[in-house]
Amino acid sequence: MRIVSRRVLLKGSLAAAGSAAAAALLAACGGGGAADTPKPVTTTGATASTTAATAGTSNVGAPATAASGGKTAAELKVAVAALPKSMDPHEEISNVGMRIHYFTFDTLIRRDFLDNSKLVPSLATEWKRTDDKTLELTLRKDVTWQDGTPFTVADVKYTFDRLIAKDPKLEVASPGYFPLASVEAVDDYRVRITSTAIDPVLEKRFAGLGGQIIPAKYHQQVGADAFRLKPIGSGPYRMTEWVNDDHMTFEANEKYFGGAPTAKRLTVRVIPEVASRMAALINGEVDLVTNVPPDQLAALKGKKEIVVRQVPLSNVHVVRFNMKQKPMDNMFIRQAVALAIDHKTLTEQLWGGNAIWTRGFQFEGEEFYNPNRPQTPYDPEKAKALLKQGGYANEQITYLTETPNYYTNGKEAGEAIIEMWKSAGINGKPMLVESAQKDKLQKENTFHVATWSATSGTGDPDGYLWRNWGPDNAQQKSGWWTPESAAKYNALGTEARSILNKSKRFDLHQQMLEQYESEAPGTTLYIPKEIYAMKASINWTPYPLYYMDLRAYNLKIK
C-alpha cells in the first residue's frame, strides 16, 4: 500500500473546517489530492497490551523457545527517527535518549506505568523517610552489572555524589533534578540520602528522569568520555555496537534481576524519513517503529499483520521565545505571538485529533491537574492590540525548527503557525535547519522562536514547571527568559518545592501558571498522542513518557 503524504490527508479535513486558520494551515502545508482524515486510534496506556494486538501472525526476528506468556525471539528490530548523542543517562535528557537509556539502566525506584504510575521497587527493595529531608533505601542483593560485577551501595553513592558535585557536562547535575545535600552508605546494601531542603517529590525523583544508577568501578576505570560511548548498566540490554547515525546493537542481559529479556538481540536503526520508516515495517525489515505521524494511520489500518498503539504523552510540545532578540524582549509582543496560534486547528487538522489541546502548562491525570483552567487561547484580534501596545514595527520573527523532524509534525506545525501569525499581522519566517546547526544557532541566540518540548519526568509540576523553566534550566541560564521577567515565577517555584502541604502547593502552582502565561517566555502547543506501529505478533505497551520498556513483563511475542 502507498504511504499517504501529510499534505494529501490534510487537504480534505482543512477544507471542511472552513475557518481562516484552517485555510492558513492548508496554505502552510501545501496542496494534494483529497483523502479522508484518519480516525484516532483509541488503544492507550495499560489497556494496549490486551486490546491492540488481536489479528495476524508474524515472526519477530527468529522466534525460538517458548517462554512464559509467549515466545522468545532471536532479534527484535526497532526503527527510530534519531538516536541519542550520549549513552550517559545523566549527560543527555532527551526524548530519543530516555528511550534507549530506559532499557540499559535501572533506577532505585520504578514508576509502574501499567498500574497508575505507582512507585514500586527496582534496585531498591524498600524505602522510608526518617525526616522531611532524609530518605533511607534498602538495596537489592541479587543484582549484577552487565559485566558480571556485583551492584552495591558504592554505586549509588558514586552516582549521586557525581550529581551533587554539579559536573557542568551533566544535564541532571542541578537542583532542578536532584536537590541533594549528601549520600551516606549505611552498609553494603543500605543508603541514606539527604536533600538540601524539604522536598515533596524526593521519592519520585529516584524513579524519574536522570535517576539511573551507573557502575562506580567501571566508570572510574574507562572515564566519562568512554562511558558515554560504551556504557555498562544493570538493565535488560547491554549495548555492543554503536554506528553513529545508523544503528545501535544490544545483547540480552540473561542474568537481569527482573528476568531474562524476551529478545536475545536488539537492533535499533535510525530511519529519519517517515515514509522510509513506515516502508521498513510494511516490508518486514523491522518489527516496530516509533514516531508514527497521524497521517500514516490510514495506510497502516488495513494491514492485519500490523497493529498500531498510541498513548497520550506526559510531554507537551511548546514554542519558546528568545528575549535576547528584539522584539521578543517585549512582553506584549510575546503575548501576541502566543495568542496568534490556533491550537484547536493544530490538534484537529494537523494531528487528526491525535493530540490534546492543553489547559495551560499541565498534564491531565497528574495529582495537581486543574481541569477548570481554560484551554490555551487563540485570539488574533487581541494579538493585534497587543502588538500595537508593544510597538511592533513588522520586524521579522524567525521560527527555528529542524529537519528531519525531531518532534513529530514539528516542521509542519511551524509552517502552519507562521501562516496563522499573518492573520494578526506578525511577520514570521521559518528557519529550517539540521540538528547540529540548530544547536549552534541556539548557542548563538540567533533566533526568535524555537520548537521544544517539556516532559513531566516525576508526575509532579516540579518536574516541568521548575525543571524545564526554573533558574537551573537553559531557558533562564541562556537569558532567553531574563531574570527580571522570571523573578516572581522563581519565587513561587522555590516555595512550592520546599513544602509538603498539598493544598498550598496546588495554589502556588496555579500562581506559577498565571505568571508563566503573563510573562510568556513561551507557550504550549499540544500534547501529542504518541503512535507506534509493530508486527501483530508483538504484545508491547507504550508509556506516556518516551521510555521504551522492553523488560519481559512488558514485551511478549505471540
Side-chain angles (χ1 to χ4, degrees), residues 264-284:
K264 301 295 184 182
R265 175 185 170 96
L266 169 66
T267 301
V268 182
R269 285 178 52 189
V270 180
I271 306 180
E273 296 297 332
V274 170
S276 299
R277 201 159 61 250
M278 298 306 106
L281 176 65
I282 292 171
N283 297 334

PDB file of all heavy atoms in Angstrom, residues 264-284:
ATOM      1  N   LYS A 264      16.692 -11.999  22.349  1.00  0.00           N
ATOM      2  CA  LYS A 264      18.093 -12.252  22.635  1.00  0.00           C
ATOM      3  C   LYS A 264      18.989 -11.122  22.135  1.00  0.00           C
ATOM      4  O   LYS A 264      20.066 -10.880  22.688  1.00  0.00           O
ATOM      5  CB  LYS A 264      18.538 -13.562  21.973  1.00  0.00           C
ATOM      6  CG  LYS A 264      17.746 -14.787  22.418  1.00  0.00           C
ATOM      7  CD  LYS A 264      17.959 -15.090  23.885  1.00  0.00           C
ATOM      8  CE  LYS A 264      17.233 -16.367  24.294  1.00  0.00           C
ATOM      9  NZ  LYS A 264      17.394 -16.633  25.747  1.00  0.00           N
ATOM     10  N   ARG A 265      18.541 -10.459  21.103  1.00  0.00           N
ATOM     11  CA  ARG A 265      19.324  -9.392  20.492  1.00  0.00           C
ATOM     12  C   ARG A 265      18.376  -8.264  20.133  1.00  0.00           C
ATOM     13  O   ARG A 265      17.217  -8.487  19.777  1.00  0.00           O
ATOM     14  CB  ARG A 265      20.033  -9.930  19.234  1.00  0.00           C
ATOM     15  CG  ARG A 265      20.816  -8.909  18.396  1.00  0.00           C
ATOM     16  CD  ARG A 265      21.321  -9.614  17.141  1.00  0.00           C
ATOM     17  NE  ARG A 265      21.868  -8.686  16.170  1.00  0.00           N
ATOM     18  CZ  ARG A 265      23.155  -8.389  16.048  1.00  0.00           C
ATOM     19  NH1 ARG A 265      24.032  -8.950  16.867  1.00  0.00           N
ATOM     20  NH2 ARG A 265      23.575  -7.548  15.110  1.00  0.00           N
ATOM     21  N   LEU A 266      18.870  -7.040  20.204  1.00  0.00           N
ATOM     22  CA  LEU A 266      18.059  -5.869  19.904  1.00  0.00           C
ATOM     23  C   LEU A 266      18.855  -4.952  18.986  1.00  0.00           C
ATOM     24  O   LEU A 266      19.989  -4.590  19.286  1.00  0.00           O
ATOM     25  CB  LEU A 266      17.694  -5.141  21.197  1.00  0.00           C
ATOM     26  CG  LEU A 266      17.053  -3.751  21.083  1.00  0.00           C
ATOM     27  CD1 LEU A 266      15.677  -3.842  20.435  1.00  0.00           C
ATOM     28  CD2 LEU A 266      16.962  -3.097  22.453  1.00  0.00           C
ATOM     29  N   THR A 267      18.245  -4.603  17.858  1.00  0.00           N
ATOM     30  CA  THR A 267      18.866  -3.651  16.941  1.00  0.00           C
ATOM     31  C   THR A 267      17.962  -2.438  16.812  1.00  0.00           C
ATOM     32  O   THR A 267      16.765  -2.581  16.525  1.00  0.00           O
ATOM     33  CB  THR A 267      19.101  -4.274  15.548  1.00  0.00           C
ATOM     34  OG1 THR A 267      19.946  -5.414  15.681  1.00  0.00           O
ATOM     35  CG2 THR A 267      19.758  -3.274  14.616  1.00  0.00           C
ATOM     36  N   VAL A 268      18.523  -1.260  17.042  1.00  0.00           N
ATOM     37  CA  VAL A 268      17.774  -0.006  16.920  1.00  0.00           C
ATOM     38  C   VAL A 268      18.362   0.764  15.745  1.00  0.00           C
ATOM     39  O   VAL A 268      19.495   1.243  15.805  1.00  0.00           O
ATOM     40  CB  VAL A 268      17.859   0.823  18.214  1.00  0.00           C
ATOM     41  CG1 VAL A 268      17.026   2.097  18.077  1.00  0.00           C
ATOM     42  CG2 VAL A 268      17.387   0.014  19.412  1.00  0.00           C
ATOM     43  N   ARG A 269      17.591   0.852  14.664  1.00  0.00           N
ATOM     44  CA  ARG A 269      18.038   1.501  13.430  1.00  0.00           C
ATOM     45  C   ARG A 269      17.518   2.920  13.330  1.00  0.00           C
ATOM     46  O   ARG A 269      16.374   3.210  13.708  1.00  0.00           O
ATOM     47  CB  ARG A 269      17.538   0.734  12.199  1.00  0.00           C
ATOM     48  CG  ARG A 269      18.252  -0.562  11.903  1.00  0.00           C
ATOM     49  CD  ARG A 269      17.625  -1.231  10.679  1.00  0.00           C
ATOM     50  NE  ARG A 269      17.542  -0.327   9.525  1.00  0.00           N
ATOM     51  CZ  ARG A 269      16.876  -0.616   8.410  1.00  0.00           C
ATOM     52  NH1 ARG A 269      16.224  -1.772   8.298  1.00  0.00           N
ATOM     53  NH2 ARG A 269      16.852   0.235   7.407  1.00  0.00           N
ATOM     54  N   VAL A 270      18.348   3.799  12.803  1.00  0.00           N
ATOM     55  CA  VAL A 270      17.915   5.170  12.531  1.00  0.00           C
ATOM     56  C   VAL A 270      17.358   5.243  11.120  1.00  0.00           C
ATOM     57  O   VAL A 270      18.064   4.959  10.151  1.00  0.00           O
ATOM     58  CB  VAL A 270      19.087   6.160  12.671  1.00  0.00           C
ATOM     59  CG1 VAL A 270      18.603   7.575  12.381  1.00  0.00           C
ATOM     60  CG2 VAL A 270      19.694   6.086  14.052  1.00  0.00           C
ATOM     61  N   ILE A 271      16.074   5.602  11.019  1.00  0.00           N
ATOM     62  CA  ILE A 271      15.457   5.853   9.708  1.00  0.00           C
ATOM     63  C   ILE A 271      14.716   7.186   9.853  1.00  0.00           C
ATOM     64  O   ILE A 271      13.547   7.227  10.263  1.00  0.00           O
ATOM     65  CB  ILE A 271      14.493   4.724   9.286  1.00  0.00           C
ATOM     66  CG1 ILE A 271      15.206   3.355   9.340  1.00  0.00           C
ATOM     67  CG2 ILE A 271      13.952   4.986   7.886  1.00  0.00           C
ATOM     68  CD1 ILE A 271      14.325   2.187   8.943  1.00  0.00           C
ATOM     69  N   PRO A 272      15.378   8.300   9.554  1.00  0.00           N
ATOM     70  CA  PRO A 272      14.789   9.619   9.849  1.00  0.00           C
ATOM     71  C   PRO A 272      13.510   9.916   9.082  1.00  0.00           C
ATOM     72  O   PRO A 272      12.578  10.520   9.633  1.00  0.00           O
ATOM     73  CB  PRO A 272      15.908  10.596   9.468  1.00  0.00           C
ATOM     74  CG  PRO A 272      17.162   9.777   9.446  1.00  0.00           C
ATOM     75  CD  PRO A 272      16.725   8.409   9.019  1.00  0.00           C
ATOM     76  N   GLU A 273      13.439   9.513   7.820  1.00  0.00           N
ATOM     77  CA  GLU A 273      12.292   9.879   6.996  1.00  0.00           C
ATOM     78  C   GLU A 273      11.085   8.990   7.313  1.00  0.00           C
ATOM     79  O   GLU A 273      11.203   7.766   7.384  1.00  0.00           O
ATOM     80  CB  GLU A 273      12.639   9.761   5.516  1.00  0.00           C
ATOM     81  CG  GLU A 273      13.730  10.726   5.064  1.00  0.00           C
ATOM     82  CD  GLU A 273      13.312  12.189   5.227  1.00  0.00           C
ATOM     83  OE1 GLU A 273      12.095  12.463   5.159  1.00  0.00           O
ATOM     84  OE2 GLU A 273      14.192  13.037   5.420  1.00  0.00           O
ATOM     85  N   VAL A 274       9.940   9.618   7.471  1.00  0.00           N
ATOM     86  CA  VAL A 274       8.721   8.904   7.853  1.00  0.00           C
ATOM     87  C   VAL A 274       8.375   7.817   6.849  1.00  0.00           C
ATOM     88  O   VAL A 274       8.126   6.658   7.217  1.00  0.00           O
ATOM     89  CB  VAL A 274       7.536   9.886   8.004  1.00  0.00           C
ATOM     90  CG1 VAL A 274       6.231   9.121   8.167  1.00  0.00           C
ATOM     91  CG2 VAL A 274       7.765  10.804   9.185  1.00  0.00           C
ATOM     92  N   ALA A 275       8.351   8.158   5.562  1.00  0.00           N
ATOM     93  CA  ALA A 275       7.940   7.191   4.543  1.00  0.00           C
ATOM     94  C   ALA A 275       8.849   5.969   4.545  1.00  0.00           C
ATOM     95  O   ALA A 275       8.384   4.829   4.436  1.00  0.00           O
ATOM     96  CB  ALA A 275       7.929   7.848   3.170  1.00  0.00           C
ATOM     97  N   SER A 276      10.140   6.198   4.701  1.00  0.00           N
ATOM     98  CA  SER A 276      11.092   5.078   4.715  1.00  0.00           C
ATOM     99  C   SER A 276      10.908   4.226   5.965  1.00  0.00           C
ATOM    100  O   SER A 276      11.034   2.993   5.909  1.00  0.00           O
ATOM    101  CB  SER A 276      12.525   5.611   4.644  1.00  0.00           C
ATOM    102  OG  SER A 276      12.736   6.329   3.451  1.00  0.00           O
ATOM    103  N   ARG A 277      10.607   4.865   7.077  1.00  0.00           N
ATOM    104  CA  ARG A 277      10.406   4.125   8.332  1.00  0.00           C
ATOM    105  C   ARG A 277       9.160   3.254   8.235  1.00  0.00           C
ATOM    106  O   ARG A 277       9.157   2.100   8.653  1.00  0.00           O
ATOM    107  CB  ARG A 277      10.312   5.117   9.495  1.00  0.00           C
ATOM    108  CG  ARG A 277      10.604   4.520  10.837  1.00  0.00           C
ATOM    109  CD  ARG A 277      10.997   5.545  11.879  1.00  0.00           C
ATOM    110  NE  ARG A 277       9.998   6.549  12.168  1.00  0.00           N
ATOM    111  CZ  ARG A 277      10.103   7.833  11.836  1.00  0.00           C
ATOM    112  NH1 ARG A 277      11.168   8.270  11.177  1.00  0.00           N
ATOM    113  NH2 ARG A 277       9.161   8.700  12.159  1.00  0.00           N
ATOM    114  N   MET A 278       8.093   3.798   7.678  1.00  0.00           N
ATOM    115  CA  MET A 278       6.867   3.024   7.532  1.00  0.00           C
ATOM    116  C   MET A 278       7.061   1.883   6.537  1.00  0.00           C
ATOM    117  O   MET A 278       6.583   0.761   6.749  1.00  0.00           O
ATOM    118  CB  MET A 278       5.713   3.926   7.061  1.00  0.00           C
ATOM    119  CG  MET A 278       5.336   5.056   8.007  1.00  0.00           C
ATOM    120  SD  MET A 278       4.953   4.532   9.687  1.00  0.00           S
ATOM    121  CE  MET A 278       6.422   5.101  10.525  1.00  0.00           C
ATOM    122  N   ALA A 279       7.769   2.164   5.452  1.00  0.00           N
ATOM    123  CA  ALA A 279       8.010   1.129   4.451  1.00  0.00           C
ATOM    124  C   ALA A 279       8.834  -0.015   5.024  1.00  0.00           C
ATOM    125  O   ALA A 279       8.604  -1.186   4.693  1.00  0.00           O
ATOM    126  CB  ALA A 279       8.719   1.731   3.243  1.00  0.00           C
ATOM    127  N   ALA A 280       9.786   0.301   5.899  1.00  0.00           N
ATOM    128  CA  ALA A 280      10.611  -0.740   6.509  1.00  0.00           C
ATOM    129  C   ALA A 280       9.761  -1.694   7.339  1.00  0.00           C
ATOM    130  O   ALA A 280      10.003  -2.907   7.364  1.00  0.00           O
ATOM    131  CB  ALA A 280      11.696  -0.102   7.372  1.00  0.00           C
ATOM    132  N   LEU A 281       8.733  -1.162   8.006  1.00  0.00           N
ATOM    133  CA  LEU A 281       7.830  -2.022   8.778  1.00  0.00           C
ATOM    134  C   LEU A 281       6.950  -2.850   7.852  1.00  0.00           C
ATOM    135  O   LEU A 281       6.821  -4.072   8.023  1.00  0.00           O
ATOM    136  CB  LEU A 281       6.963  -1.166   9.706  1.00  0.00           C
ATOM    137  CG  LEU A 281       5.900  -1.923  10.511  1.00  0.00           C
ATOM    138  CD1 LEU A 281       6.551  -2.889  11.495  1.00  0.00           C
ATOM    139  CD2 LEU A 281       4.975  -0.951  11.235  1.00  0.00           C
ATOM    140  N   ILE A 282       6.351  -2.210   6.880  1.00  0.00           N
ATOM    141  CA  ILE A 282       5.449  -2.902   5.964  1.00  0.00           C
ATOM    142  C   ILE A 282       6.177  -4.007   5.193  1.00  0.00           C
ATOM    143  O   ILE A 282       5.635  -5.089   4.953  1.00  0.00           O
ATOM    144  CB  ILE A 282       4.799  -1.893   4.996  1.00  0.00           C
ATOM    145  CG1 ILE A 282       3.841  -0.969   5.782  1.00  0.00           C
ATOM    146  CG2 ILE A 282       4.049  -2.600   3.881  1.00  0.00           C
ATOM    147  CD1 ILE A 282       3.310   0.207   4.978  1.00  0.00           C
ATOM    148  N   ASN A 283       7.438  -3.747   4.846  1.00  0.00           N
ATOM    149  CA  ASN A 283       8.223  -4.720   4.088  1.00  0.00           C
ATOM    150  C   ASN A 283       8.874  -5.787   4.962  1.00  0.00           C
ATOM    151  O   ASN A 283       9.552  -6.681   4.444  1.00  0.00           O
ATOM    152  CB  ASN A 283       9.305  -4.006   3.273  1.00  0.00           C
ATOM    153  CG  ASN A 283       8.733  -3.075   2.223  1.00  0.00           C
ATOM    154  OD1 ASN A 283       7.617  -3.278   1.761  1.00  0.00           O
ATOM    155  ND2 ASN A 283       9.487  -2.058   1.847  1.00  0.00           N
ATOM    156  N   GLY A 284       8.700  -5.693   6.275  1.00  0.00           N
ATOM    157  CA  GLY A 284       9.241  -6.693   7.176  1.00  0.00           C
ATOM    158  C   GLY A 284      10.701  -6.516   7.535  1.00  0.00           C
ATOM    159  O   GLY A 284      11.318  -7.409   8.118  1.00  0.00           O
TER     160      GLY A 284
END
